[in-house]
Amino acid sequence: MSCWNKLKSSNWAYPTAVLCLYGFFSSCRVAEPFLTPYLIGPYKNISEEVVTNYLFPIWTYSYLSFLFPVFLLTDFVMYKPVIVVQGFFLVSNYVLLCFIPGLTAMVFLQVNYAVVTATEVAYLSYIYSVIPLENYQRATGYLRGAMMAGYTFGASLGQVLVSVAGVDYFYLNTITLGIEIVAFLLALCLPMPKTSLFFKGAQTSPIEKDCPVQDSGPRWCSGENIIRAGRLLWHSFKVSYSSSKLICWSLWWALATAGYTQIFNYCQLLWDHIEPSETSSVYNGGVEAVSCLAGAAAAFCVGHVKVTWAVWGELALGLFSAAGAGAVFLMALTNNIWACYAGYVIFKSCYILLITIAVFQIASNLSMECYALTFGINAFVALSLQTIVTFIVVDDAALGLDIVTQFIIYGSYYAVISVLFLMRGTYTACTHKNHSEEKDSRVKVITEEQRKDTQG
């Protein structure tokens, strides 16, 4: 009990610990890798075409409509209420999956899950409003590690329950429902922040140190305060996209995340197309767990490799994006489920590796407050691109392409990204080499002149 009281009295350990536990349990979705087999199986009995071309696009459109308003609302209501809302909607998500039949319920499920994903920004930015600046880096690492650990554990547990214990998909969803109830209860235990990043509360916003604004003591919900918040947002936006390097890394983030999310959303449908779940063993959970571990290992190695990312980073983006494109083409063109699984592991590992580099490069040049805004903007741009791709390629109101053709297009999309960044990376590397040679030449000339002066 004394340890618990000591933890609660800490100015950063308690909120970080509770939020990490929330991140672990909210990400521990045992049933998620088996969502498609569950929807097209006997419990929901929805056709593959309806799931692909009708249901899943609803999530994309809903997510886009919620993301930016939720981002602004998150700061305005001081983070914790939005995290609680996310926990509640996670619970209702699995209530719908477990107990509410019919296509209409599954349509509502997509909208419900869009709220869950849109409110994720609160989880990633809450911590910066409740802990001291010197603990930002450690806390950020703990939070992302907790999410990755929860997702990997959930996927692994789901695979073990299906393959070893023969547990039905329905019971996987009920187990996940219980886990998400725990996450919701943990969200209620989070302390309420006393300040926000952009809207003035009881104290001065942390970001205001970088953007002095005349303070006439406006009330929290007044028009003056809203104008002030707008100024801070605009200042943060200019800082976040202040250089061509930051814009380049953010551009890759948005482009690659749009493609990754699309592939992640529809890979289960491709797997089921290659080897139907009704007649074959399903290893979706194991594949997700392996890909997360491989990606985490690659990201860990990045932190211990000495590379001048400012010079070689863009070339790395192009090279690994090319590897990802090849992996997606493998997924689309093979008829072997294990080759398709391998392609997915390679693709996801490349993405996790590169997004880790991109996040580090952006965050190292920004304050954490500006990083929170950059995350929101990059996510919004990525989602806008994904929505365009979904409408043109997937939605039956437009082309409504079959799943294999979709993945050929996704592979082509990543190939274009790789070409763009290979060109940009080659230019950056050559420019750096020329500058280095010019610098060396100047040093040699100066050295020679100094030698002559000495001899004279």
Side-chain angles (χ1 to χ4, degrees):
M1 188 58 119
S2 60
C3 293
W4 175 252
N5 291 333
K6 185 177 180 181
L7 181 66
K8 288 197 71 171
S9 65
S10 170
N11 62 346
W12 80 281
Y14 173 72
T16 303
V18 175
L19 196 61
C20 283
L21 287 171
Y22 173 80
F24 177 85
F25 283 99
S26 64
S27 301
C28 187
R29 304 169 197 172
V30 179
E32 187 169 86
F34 306 94
L35 175 62
T36 295
Y38 183 68
L39 292 177
I40 66 178
Y43 276 102
K44 299 300 179 183
N45 198 26
I46 303 172
S47 70
E48 183 179 321
E49 291 74 18
V50 171
V51 172
T52 305
N53 303 123
Y54 176 67
L55 273 183
F56 283 1
I58 292 173
W59 169 81
T60 304
Y61 303 147
S62 302
Y63 185 14
L64 179 64
S65 64
F66 291 144
L67 181 61
F68 195 69
V70 166
F71 176 78
L72 295 178
L73 183 66
T74 295
D75 193 69
F76 189 76
V77 301
M78 311 283 274
Y79 306 95
K80 177 181 175 177
V82 179
I83 297 175
V84 173
V85 167
Q86 184 189 49
F88 175 80
F89 273 80
L90 274 168
V91 172
S92 62
N93 197 69
Y94 286 94
V95 170
L96 286 167
L97 278 170
C98 291
F99 306 115
I100 311 299
L103 182 60
T104 303
M106 294 303 98
V107 169
F108 187 75
L109 172 75
Q110 300 303 313
V111 179
N112 188 89
Y113 189 64
V115 176
V116 172
T117 48
T119 50
E120 188 174 296
V121 67
Y123 174 81
L124 296 171
S125 54
Y126 162 90
I127 202 67
Y128 306 133
S129 66
V130 294
I131 68 171
L133 180 66
E134 61 269 18
N135 299 120
Y136 277 8
Q137 185 173 352
R138 290 172 64 189
T140 301
Y142 293 154
L143 296 183
R144 291 192 175 274
M147 288 182 69
M148 184 69 72
Y151 192 81
T152 304
F153 178 78
S156 303
L157 178 60
Q159 189 62 63
V160 169
L161 291 174
V162 168
S163 298
V164 178
V167 174
D168 191 270
Y169 296 142
F170 172 79
Y171 294 107
L172 291 186
N173 282 283
T174 58
I175 292 169
T176 309
L177 173 60
I179 293 172
E180 299 311 323
I181 290 173
V182 174
F184 173 67
L185 295 176
L186 284 167
L188 297 174
C189 297
L190 288 168
M192 189 71 179
K194 295 183 175 62
T195 186
S196 65
L197 298 181
F198 301 107
F199 289 95
K200 187 176 180 65
Q203 300 176 8
T204 302
S205 169
I207 200 170
E208 197 168 7
K209 297 174 184 177
D210 299 325
C211 180
V213 179
Q214 184 176 0
D215 183 14
S216 57
R219 294 171 60 189
W220 190 68
C221 294
S222 69
E224 289 180 73
N225 190 31
I226 292 173
I227 292 172
R228 170 187 169 279
R231 290 174 181 170
L232 292 176
L233 281 166
W234 176 244
H235 170 78
S236 301
F237 177 82
K238 290 192 294 184
V239 171
S240 299
Y241 300 95
S242 57
S243 71
S244 59
K245 286 285 184 184
L246 288 172
I247 292 173
C248 187
W249 287 101
S250 293
L251 178 63
W252 180 88
W253 180 340
L255 289 172
T257 300
Y260 167 77
T261 307
Q262 196 73 358
I263 291 165
F264 176 79
N265 286 346
Y266 291 89
C267 64
Q268 291 186 32
L269 287 159
L270 180 65
W271 296 339
D272 203 87
H273 173 80
I274 295 173
E275 194 159 305
S277 56
E278 294 179 358
T279 58
S280 308
S281 298
V282 177
Y283 298 98
N284 297 5
V287 174
E288 290 289 359
V290 169
S291 60
C292 281
L293 289 173
F300 178 80
C301 292
V302 167
H304 294 79
V305 174
K306 294 183 178 180
V307 176
T308 308
W309 294 111
V311 178
W312 303 107
E314 293 161 3
L315 202 56
L317 293 178
L319 290 171
F320 282 100
S321 294
V328 177
F329 279 126
L330 173 63
M331 294 175 66
L333 300 176
T334 186
N335 290 320
N336 185 296
I337 189 63
W338 292 104
C340 190
Y341 284 156
Y344 179 76
V345 171
I346 294 169
F347 168 76
K348 189 168 183 177
S349 300
C350 288
Y351 174 78
I352 294 175
L353 169 69
L354 293 178
I355 198 67
T356 302
I357 299 171
V359 167
F360 171 75
Q361 286 298 304
I362 293 172
S364 63
N365 291 284
L366 295 173
S367 68
M368 285 298 182
E369 295 88 355
C370 289
Y371 171 67
L373 179 66
T374 304
F375 171 85
I377 293 174
N378 289 352
F380 183 77
V381 174
L383 187 56
S384 299
L385 291 171
Q386 186 196 345
T387 302
I388 293 170
V389 172
T390 298
F391 178 75
I392 296 173
V393 176
V394 182
D395 199 317
D396 54 10
L399 296 179
L401 300 175
D402 64 89
I403 194 67
V404 173
T405 307
Q406 286 181 39
F407 270 74
I408 292 173
I409 291 174
Y410 303 152
S412 303
Y413 174 86
Y414 255 89
V416 171
I417 294 175
S418 68
V419 170
L420 288 175
F421 281 89
L422 282 171
M423 293 170 59
R424 168 75 183 184
T426 302
Y427 171 78
T428 301
C430 290
T431 302
H432 174 75
K433 182 180 179 182
N434 291 336
H435 286 169
S436 298
E437 290 176 351
E438 290 176 5
K439 184 177 180 180
D440 291 341
S441 298
R442 287 196 297 269
V443 170
K444 288 180 181 178
V445 170
I446 294 171
T447 303
E448 183 67 21
E449 290 177 351
Q450 290 175 343
R451 187 181 64 80
K452 289 180 180 179
D453 290 342
T454 303
Q455 290 177 347

Short mmCIF file of all heavy atoms in Angstrom, two decimals, residues 353-409:
data_model
loop_
_atom_site.label_atom_id
_atom_site.label_comp_id
_atom_site.label_asym_id
_atom_site.label_seq_id
_atom_site.Cartn_x
_atom_site.Cartn_y
_atom_site.Cartn_z
N LEU A 353 10.09 -0.10 -39.13
CA LEU A 353 11.45 0.41 -39.13
C LEU A 353 11.50 1.86 -39.60
O LEU A 353 12.09 2.73 -38.94
CB LEU A 353 12.32 -0.46 -40.05
CG LEU A 353 13.71 0.06 -40.38
CD1 LEU A 353 14.60 0.04 -39.15
CD2 LEU A 353 14.34 -0.75 -41.51
N LEU A 354 10.85 2.13 -40.73
CA LEU A 354 10.93 3.46 -41.32
C LEU A 354 10.14 4.49 -40.53
O LEU A 354 10.57 5.65 -40.40
CB LEU A 354 10.43 3.42 -42.77
CG LEU A 354 11.31 2.62 -43.74
CD1 LEU A 354 10.69 2.61 -45.12
CD2 LEU A 354 12.72 3.19 -43.81
N ILE A 355 8.97 4.11 -40.00
CA ILE A 355 8.18 5.08 -39.23
C ILE A 355 8.92 5.44 -37.94
O ILE A 355 8.81 6.58 -37.45
CB ILE A 355 6.76 4.55 -38.94
CG1 ILE A 355 5.82 5.71 -38.56
CG2 ILE A 355 6.77 3.50 -37.86
CD1 ILE A 355 5.54 6.68 -39.64
N THR A 356 9.70 4.51 -37.40
CA THR A 356 10.50 4.80 -36.22
C THR A 356 11.56 5.86 -36.55
O THR A 356 11.76 6.81 -35.78
CB THR A 356 11.19 3.53 -35.70
OG1 THR A 356 10.20 2.55 -35.40
CG2 THR A 356 12.02 3.82 -34.46
N ILE A 357 12.22 5.71 -37.70
CA ILE A 357 13.22 6.69 -38.12
C ILE A 357 12.56 8.04 -38.35
O ILE A 357 13.06 9.09 -37.93
CB ILE A 357 13.93 6.22 -39.41
CG1 ILE A 357 14.67 4.90 -39.16
CG2 ILE A 357 14.92 7.28 -39.89
CD1 ILE A 357 15.23 4.26 -40.41
N ALA A 358 11.41 8.03 -39.04
CA ALA A 358 10.71 9.28 -39.35
C ALA A 358 10.27 10.00 -38.08
O ALA A 358 10.45 11.22 -37.95
CB ALA A 358 9.50 8.99 -40.25
N VAL A 359 9.70 9.25 -37.14
CA VAL A 359 9.24 9.85 -35.88
C VAL A 359 10.43 10.45 -35.12
O VAL A 359 10.35 11.56 -34.59
CB VAL A 359 8.52 8.80 -35.02
CG1 VAL A 359 8.34 9.30 -33.60
CG2 VAL A 359 7.17 8.46 -35.63
N PHE A 360 11.54 9.71 -35.10
CA PHE A 360 12.72 10.21 -34.39
C PHE A 360 13.24 11.49 -35.05
O PHE A 360 13.59 12.45 -34.36
CB PHE A 360 13.81 9.14 -34.39
CG PHE A 360 15.14 9.64 -33.88
CD1 PHE A 360 15.34 9.86 -32.53
CD2 PHE A 360 16.19 9.90 -34.75
CE1 PHE A 360 16.56 10.33 -32.05
CE2 PHE A 360 17.40 10.37 -34.30
CZ PHE A 360 17.59 10.58 -32.94
N GLN A 361 13.32 11.51 -36.37
CA GLN A 361 13.84 12.68 -37.07
C GLN A 361 12.95 13.90 -36.86
O GLN A 361 13.44 15.02 -36.69
CB GLN A 361 13.96 12.38 -38.57
CG GLN A 361 15.10 11.47 -38.92
CD GLN A 361 16.45 12.07 -38.55
OE1 GLN A 361 16.82 13.16 -38.96
NE2 GLN A 361 17.20 11.34 -37.74
N ILE A 362 11.65 13.70 -36.87
CA ILE A 362 10.72 14.82 -36.66
C ILE A 362 10.76 15.28 -35.21
O ILE A 362 10.89 16.47 -34.91
CB ILE A 362 9.30 14.43 -37.09
CG1 ILE A 362 9.24 14.22 -38.61
CG2 ILE A 362 8.29 15.50 -36.67
CD1 ILE A 362 7.94 13.65 -39.11
N ALA A 363 10.66 14.33 -34.28
CA ALA A 363 10.59 14.68 -32.86
C ALA A 363 11.89 15.30 -32.36
O ALA A 363 11.86 16.16 -31.47
CB ALA A 363 10.26 13.43 -32.04
N SER A 364 13.02 14.91 -32.93
CA SER A 364 14.30 15.45 -32.47
C SER A 364 14.47 16.92 -32.85
O SER A 364 15.34 17.60 -32.30
CB SER A 364 15.46 14.63 -33.05
OG SER A 364 15.48 14.71 -34.46
N ASN A 365 13.67 17.38 -33.79
CA ASN A 365 13.75 18.77 -34.23
C ASN A 365 12.58 19.62 -33.74
O ASN A 365 12.45 20.78 -34.15
CB ASN A 365 13.82 18.84 -35.76
CG ASN A 365 15.12 18.30 -36.30
OD1 ASN A 365 16.16 18.95 -36.24
ND2 ASN A 365 15.08 17.08 -36.84
N LEU A 366 11.72 19.05 -32.91
CA LEU A 366 10.54 19.76 -32.44
C LEU A 366 10.36 19.57 -30.95
O LEU A 366 10.85 18.58 -30.38
CB LEU A 366 9.28 19.24 -33.15
CG LEU A 366 9.16 19.46 -34.66
CD1 LEU A 366 7.93 18.73 -35.18
CD2 LEU A 366 9.07 20.93 -34.99
N SER A 367 9.65 20.48 -30.33
CA SER A 367 9.21 20.24 -28.96
C SER A 367 8.10 19.20 -29.00
O SER A 367 7.45 18.99 -30.02
CB SER A 367 8.68 21.53 -28.33
OG SER A 367 7.47 21.93 -28.97
N MET A 368 7.88 18.53 -27.88
CA MET A 368 6.86 17.49 -27.84
C MET A 368 5.47 18.06 -28.09
O MET A 368 4.60 17.39 -28.63
CB MET A 368 6.89 16.76 -26.48
CG MET A 368 8.06 15.80 -26.35
SD MET A 368 7.99 14.47 -27.57
CE MET A 368 9.43 13.51 -27.13
N GLU A 369 5.25 19.33 -27.69
CA GLU A 369 3.95 19.94 -27.94
C GLU A 369 3.71 20.08 -29.44
O GLU A 369 2.63 19.79 -29.95
CB GLU A 369 3.87 21.30 -27.26
CG GLU A 369 3.92 21.24 -25.73
CD GLU A 369 5.34 21.28 -25.22
OE1 GLU A 369 6.29 21.26 -26.04
OE2 GLU A 369 5.52 21.32 -23.99
N CYS A 370 4.74 20.54 -30.17
CA CYS A 370 4.61 20.66 -31.62
C CYS A 370 4.50 19.28 -32.27
O CYS A 370 3.82 19.11 -33.27
CB CYS A 370 5.81 21.40 -32.20
SG CYS A 370 5.84 23.16 -31.80
N TYR A 371 5.17 18.28 -31.67
CA TYR A 371 5.09 16.93 -32.20
C TYR A 371 3.67 16.40 -32.14
O TYR A 371 3.20 15.72 -33.05
CB TYR A 371 6.03 16.00 -31.44
CG TYR A 371 5.84 14.55 -31.79
CD1 TYR A 371 6.16 14.08 -33.05
CD2 TYR A 371 5.32 13.65 -30.86
CE1 TYR A 371 5.96 12.75 -33.38
CE2 TYR A 371 5.13 12.33 -31.18
CZ TYR A 371 5.45 11.88 -32.45
OH TYR A 371 5.24 10.57 -32.78
N ALA A 372 2.95 16.71 -31.06
CA ALA A 372 1.56 16.27 -30.95
C ALA A 372 0.72 16.83 -32.09
O ALA A 372 -0.10 16.12 -32.68
CB ALA A 372 0.98 16.70 -29.60
N LEU A 373 0.93 18.10 -32.43
CA LEU A 373 0.20 18.70 -33.54
C LEU A 373 0.63 18.07 -34.86
O LEU A 373 -0.21 17.78 -35.73
CB LEU A 373 0.45 20.21 -33.58
CG LEU A 373 -0.24 20.96 -34.73
CD1 LEU A 373 -1.75 20.90 -34.58
CD2 LEU A 373 0.23 22.40 -34.80
N THR A 374 1.93 17.84 -35.03
CA THR A 374 2.44 17.23 -36.26
C THR A 374 1.84 15.83 -36.46
O THR A 374 1.48 15.45 -37.58
CB THR A 374 3.97 17.14 -36.21
OG1 THR A 374 4.51 18.44 -35.99
CG2 THR A 374 4.53 16.59 -37.51
N PHE A 375 1.76 15.08 -35.36
CA PHE A 375 1.13 13.75 -35.43
C PHE A 375 -0.29 13.86 -35.96
O PHE A 375 -0.71 13.10 -36.83
CB PHE A 375 1.13 13.09 -34.05
CG PHE A 375 0.31 11.83 -33.99
CD1 PHE A 375 0.85 10.62 -34.37
CD2 PHE A 375 -1.02 11.86 -33.57
CE1 PHE A 375 0.08 9.45 -34.33
CE2 PHE A 375 -1.78 10.71 -33.52
CZ PHE A 375 -1.22 9.50 -33.90
N GLY A 376 -1.05 14.82 -35.43
CA GLY A 376 -2.43 14.98 -35.85
C GLY A 376 -2.56 15.37 -37.31
O GLY A 376 -3.38 14.82 -38.05
N ILE A 377 -1.71 16.31 -37.76
CA ILE A 377 -1.78 16.77 -39.14
C ILE A 377 -1.35 15.65 -40.10
O ILE A 377 -2.01 15.40 -41.12
CB ILE A 377 -0.90 18.02 -39.34
CG1 ILE A 377 -1.49 19.19 -38.56
CG2 ILE A 377 -0.77 18.37 -40.82
CD1 ILE A 377 -0.61 20.42 -38.57
N ASN A 378 -0.25 14.98 -39.78
CA ASN A 378 0.22 13.88 -40.65
C ASN A 378 -0.81 12.76 -40.73
O ASN A 378 -1.04 12.18 -41.80
CB ASN A 378 1.54 13.34 -40.14
CG ASN A 378 2.69 14.30 -40.36
OD1 ASN A 378 2.54 15.32 -41.02
ND2 ASN A 378 3.84 13.99 -39.79
N ALA A 379 -1.44 12.46 -39.59
CA ALA A 379 -2.48 11.43 -39.58
C ALA A 379 -3.68 11.86 -40.43
O ALA A 379 -4.26 11.04 -41.16
CB ALA A 379 -2.93 11.14 -38.15
N PHE A 380 -4.03 13.13 -40.37
CA PHE A 380 -5.15 13.63 -41.16
C PHE A 380 -4.86 13.57 -42.66
O PHE A 380 -5.70 13.16 -43.45
CB PHE A 380 -5.49 15.06 -40.75
CG PHE A 380 -6.69 15.64 -41.46
CD1 PHE A 380 -7.97 15.27 -41.08
CD2 PHE A 380 -6.53 16.52 -42.51
CE1 PHE A 380 -9.08 15.78 -41.73
CE2 PHE A 380 -7.63 17.03 -43.18
CZ PHE A 380 -8.91 16.67 -42.78
N VAL A 381 -3.64 13.96 -43.05
CA VAL A 381 -3.25 13.89 -44.47
C VAL A 381 -3.24 12.44 -44.94
O VAL A 381 -3.74 12.11 -46.03
CB VAL A 381 -1.89 14.55 -44.69
CG1 VAL A 381 -1.41 14.35 -46.13
CG2 VAL A 381 -1.95 16.04 -44.37
N ALA A 382 -2.67 11.54 -44.11
CA ALA A 382 -2.64 10.12 -44.47
C ALA A 382 -4.04 9.56 -44.65
O ALA A 382 -4.32 8.82 -45.60
CB ALA A 382 -1.88 9.33 -43.40
N LEU A 383 -4.92 9.92 -43.73
CA LEU A 383 -6.29 9.42 -43.80
C LEU A 383 -7.03 9.98 -45.01
O LEU A 383 -7.85 9.29 -45.62
CB LEU A 383 -7.03 9.74 -42.51
CG LEU A 383 -8.42 9.15 -42.34
CD1 LEU A 383 -8.40 7.63 -42.49
CD2 LEU A 383 -9.00 9.54 -40.99
N SER A 384 -6.75 11.24 -45.35
CA SER A 384 -7.38 11.83 -46.54
C SER A 384 -6.95 11.07 -47.79
O SER A 384 -7.79 10.76 -48.66
CB SER A 384 -6.99 13.30 -46.66
OG SER A 384 -7.42 14.04 -45.53
N LEU A 385 -5.65 10.75 -47.90
CA LEU A 385 -5.16 9.98 -49.03
C LEU A 385 -5.78 8.59 -49.05
O LEU A 385 -6.19 8.08 -50.11
CB LEU A 385 -3.64 9.87 -48.97
CG LEU A 385 -2.84 11.15 -49.21
CD1 LEU A 385 -1.37 10.93 -48.88
CD2 LEU A 385 -3.00 11.61 -50.66
N GLN A 386 -5.86 7.97 -47.87
CA GLN A 386 -6.45 6.64 -47.79
C GLN A 386 -7.91 6.66 -48.19
O GLN A 386 -8.40 5.73 -48.85
CB GLN A 386 -6.31 6.10 -46.36
CG GLN A 386 -6.77 4.65 -46.22
CD GLN A 386 -7.00 4.25 -44.79
OE1 GLN A 386 -6.56 4.94 -43.88
NE2 GLN A 386 -7.69 3.15 -44.58
N THR A 387 -8.62 7.71 -47.82
CA THR A 387 -10.03 7.83 -48.19
C THR A 387 -10.19 7.92 -49.71
O THR A 387 -11.09 7.30 -50.29
CB THR A 387 -10.65 9.07 -47.53
OG1 THR A 387 -10.49 8.96 -46.11
CG2 THR A 387 -12.13 9.19 -47.86
N ILE A 388 -9.32 8.68 -50.36
CA ILE A 388 -9.36 8.79 -51.82
C ILE A 388 -9.13 7.42 -52.46
O ILE A 388 -9.85 7.01 -53.37
CB ILE A 388 -8.33 9.82 -52.30
CG1 ILE A 388 -8.71 11.22 -51.82
CG2 ILE A 388 -8.22 9.80 -53.83
CD1 ILE A 388 -7.63 12.26 -52.05
N VAL A 389 -8.10 6.71 -51.96
CA VAL A 389 -7.79 5.38 -52.50
C VAL A 389 -8.96 4.43 -52.26
O VAL A 389 -9.35 3.66 -53.15
CB VAL A 389 -6.50 4.83 -51.85
CG1 VAL A 389 -6.28 3.37 -52.26
CG2 VAL A 389 -5.30 5.67 -52.26
N THR A 390 -9.53 4.48 -51.06
CA THR A 390 -10.66 3.60 -50.74
C THR A 390 -11.84 3.85 -51.67
O THR A 390 -12.45 2.91 -52.19
CB THR A 390 -11.10 3.82 -49.28
OG1 THR A 390 -10.02 3.47 -48.40
CG2 THR A 390 -12.31 2.96 -48.94
N PHE A 391 -12.17 5.13 -51.88
CA PHE A 391 -13.32 5.45 -52.73
C PHE A 391 -13.10 4.98 -54.16
O PHE A 391 -13.99 4.39 -54.78
CB PHE A 391 -13.59 6.95 -52.70
CG PHE A 391 -14.74 7.35 -53.59
CD1 PHE A 391 -16.05 7.10 -53.21
CD2 PHE A 391 -14.50 7.94 -54.83
CE1 PHE A 391 -17.11 7.44 -54.05
CE2 PHE A 391 -15.55 8.29 -55.66
CZ PHE A 391 -16.86 8.04 -55.27
N ILE A 392 -11.90 5.22 -54.69
CA ILE A 392 -11.65 4.88 -56.10
C ILE A 392 -11.49 3.38 -56.30
O ILE A 392 -12.07 2.79 -57.22
CB ILE A 392 -10.38 5.62 -56.61
CG1 ILE A 392 -10.62 7.13 -56.60
CG2 ILE A 392 -10.01 5.15 -58.01
CD1 ILE A 392 -9.39 7.94 -56.94
N VAL A 393 -10.71 2.74 -55.42
CA VAL A 393 -10.31 1.35 -55.64
C VAL A 393 -11.27 0.35 -55.02
O VAL A 393 -11.59 -0.68 -55.63
CB VAL A 393 -8.88 1.13 -55.09
CG1 VAL A 393 -8.47 -0.33 -55.21
CG2 VAL A 393 -7.89 2.01 -55.83
N VAL A 394 -11.76 0.64 -53.81
CA VAL A 394 -12.50 -0.36 -53.03
C VAL A 394 -14.00 -0.19 -53.11
O VAL A 394 -14.74 -1.17 -53.31
CB VAL A 394 -12.05 -0.31 -51.55
CG1 VAL A 394 -12.78 -1.38 -50.74
CG2 VAL A 394 -10.55 -0.49 -51.44
N ASP A 395 -14.49 1.02 -52.93
CA ASP A 395 -15.92 1.28 -52.81
C ASP A 395 -16.66 0.81 -54.06
O ASP A 395 -16.26 1.11 -55.19
CB ASP A 395 -16.16 2.77 -52.58
CG ASP A 395 -17.52 3.05 -51.99
OD1 ASP A 395 -18.51 2.44 -52.45
OD2 ASP A 395 -17.61 3.87 -51.07
N ASP A 396 -17.78 0.08 -53.84
CA ASP A 396 -18.54 -0.40 -54.99
C ASP A 396 -19.28 0.72 -55.71
O ASP A 396 -19.85 0.52 -56.79
CB ASP A 396 -19.53 -1.50 -54.59
CG ASP A 396 -20.44 -1.09 -53.45
OD1 ASP A 396 -20.45 0.12 -53.09
OD2 ASP A 396 -21.14 -1.95 -52.90
N ALA A 397 -19.26 1.95 -55.13
CA ALA A 397 -19.82 3.09 -55.84
C ALA A 397 -18.89 3.57 -56.95
O ALA A 397 -19.32 4.30 -57.85
CB ALA A 397 -20.07 4.25 -54.87
N ALA A 398 -17.60 3.17 -56.89
CA ALA A 398 -16.64 3.51 -57.94
C ALA A 398 -16.20 2.23 -58.64
O ALA A 398 -17.02 1.52 -59.23
CB ALA A 398 -15.46 4.26 -57.34
N LEU A 399 -14.90 1.88 -58.57
CA LEU A 399 -14.41 0.70 -59.28
C LEU A 399 -14.80 -0.60 -58.58
O LEU A 399 -15.12 -1.59 -59.24
CB LEU A 399 -12.88 0.78 -59.41
CG LEU A 399 -12.34 1.95 -60.26
CD1 LEU A 399 -10.81 1.93 -60.28
CD2 LEU A 399 -12.90 1.90 -61.68
N GLY A 400 -14.75 -0.62 -57.25
CA GLY A 400 -15.11 -1.83 -56.51
C GLY A 400 -14.31 -3.04 -56.94
O GLY A 400 -14.87 -4.11 -57.21
N LEU A 401 -12.99 -2.91 -56.98
CA LEU A 401 -12.11 -3.97 -57.50
C LEU A 401 -12.02 -5.16 -56.55
O LEU A 401 -12.23 -5.03 -55.35
CB LEU A 401 -10.72 -3.40 -57.75
CG LEU A 401 -10.62 -2.24 -58.75
CD1 LEU A 401 -9.20 -1.71 -58.80
CD2 LEU A 401 -11.08 -2.69 -60.14
N ASP A 402 -11.68 -6.31 -57.11
CA ASP A 402 -11.49 -7.50 -56.29
C ASP A 402 -10.22 -7.35 -55.48
O ASP A 402 -9.36 -6.49 -55.75
CB ASP A 402 -11.41 -8.74 -57.17
CG ASP A 402 -10.21 -8.72 -58.10
OD1 ASP A 402 -9.13 -9.19 -57.70
OD2 ASP A 402 -10.36 -8.20 -59.23
N ILE A 403 -10.07 -8.19 -54.47
CA ILE A 403 -9.02 -8.02 -53.48
C ILE A 403 -7.62 -8.17 -54.07
O ILE A 403 -6.69 -7.45 -53.69
CB ILE A 403 -9.22 -8.99 -52.28
CG1 ILE A 403 -8.34 -8.59 -51.10
CG2 ILE A 403 -8.98 -10.43 -52.70
CD1 ILE A 403 -8.72 -7.29 -50.46
N VAL A 404 -7.42 -9.06 -55.03
CA VAL A 404 -6.10 -9.25 -55.63
C VAL A 404 -5.68 -8.01 -56.42
O VAL A 404 -4.55 -7.52 -56.30
CB VAL A 404 -6.09 -10.51 -56.53
CG1 VAL A 404 -4.76 -10.61 -57.29
CG2 VAL A 404 -6.31 -11.76 -55.69
N THR A 405 -6.59 -7.50 -57.24
CA THR A 405 -6.30 -6.28 -58.01
C THR A 405 -6.01 -5.11 -57.09
O THR A 405 -5.14 -4.28 -57.37
CB THR A 405 -7.48 -5.94 -58.94
OG1 THR A 405 -7.81 -7.09 -59.72
CG2 THR A 405 -7.13 -4.79 -59.86
N GLN A 406 -6.72 -5.04 -55.98
CA GLN A 406 -6.46 -3.98 -55.00
C GLN A 406 -5.01 -4.03 -54.53
O GLN A 406 -4.32 -3.00 -54.48
CB GLN A 406 -7.38 -4.14 -53.79
CG GLN A 406 -8.82 -3.73 -54.02
CD GLN A 406 -9.64 -3.90 -52.75
OE1 GLN A 406 -9.16 -3.62 -51.66
NE2 GLN A 406 -10.87 -4.36 -52.90
N PHE A 407 -4.50 -5.22 -54.20
CA PHE A 407 -3.15 -5.32 -53.68
C PHE A 407 -2.10 -5.06 -54.75
O PHE A 407 -1.00 -4.59 -54.44
CB PHE A 407 -2.94 -6.69 -53.01
CG PHE A 407 -3.29 -6.66 -51.54
CD1 PHE A 407 -4.61 -6.62 -51.13
CD2 PHE A 407 -2.30 -6.62 -50.58
CE1 PHE A 407 -4.95 -6.57 -49.79
CE2 PHE A 407 -2.62 -6.57 -49.24
CZ PHE A 407 -3.94 -6.54 -48.83
N ILE A 408 -2.41 -5.34 -56.01
CA ILE A 408 -1.49 -4.96 -57.09
C ILE A 408 -1.38 -3.43 -57.15
O ILE A 408 -0.29 -2.88 -57.32
CB ILE A 408 -1.98 -5.52 -58.44
CG1 ILE A 408 -1.86 -7.06 -58.43
CG2 ILE A 408 -1.19 -4.93 -59.60
CD1 ILE A 408 -2.46 -7.72 -59.65
N ILE A 409 -2.50 -2.75 -56.96
CA ILE A 409 -2.50 -1.28 -56.95
C ILE A 409 -1.74 -0.76 -55.74
O ILE A 409 -0.96 0.20 -55.83
CB ILE A 409 -3.94 -0.74 -56.98
CG1 ILE A 409 -4.57 -1.04 -58.35
CG2 ILE A 409 -3.97 0.75 -56.69
CD1 ILE A 409 -6.03 -0.68 -58.44
#
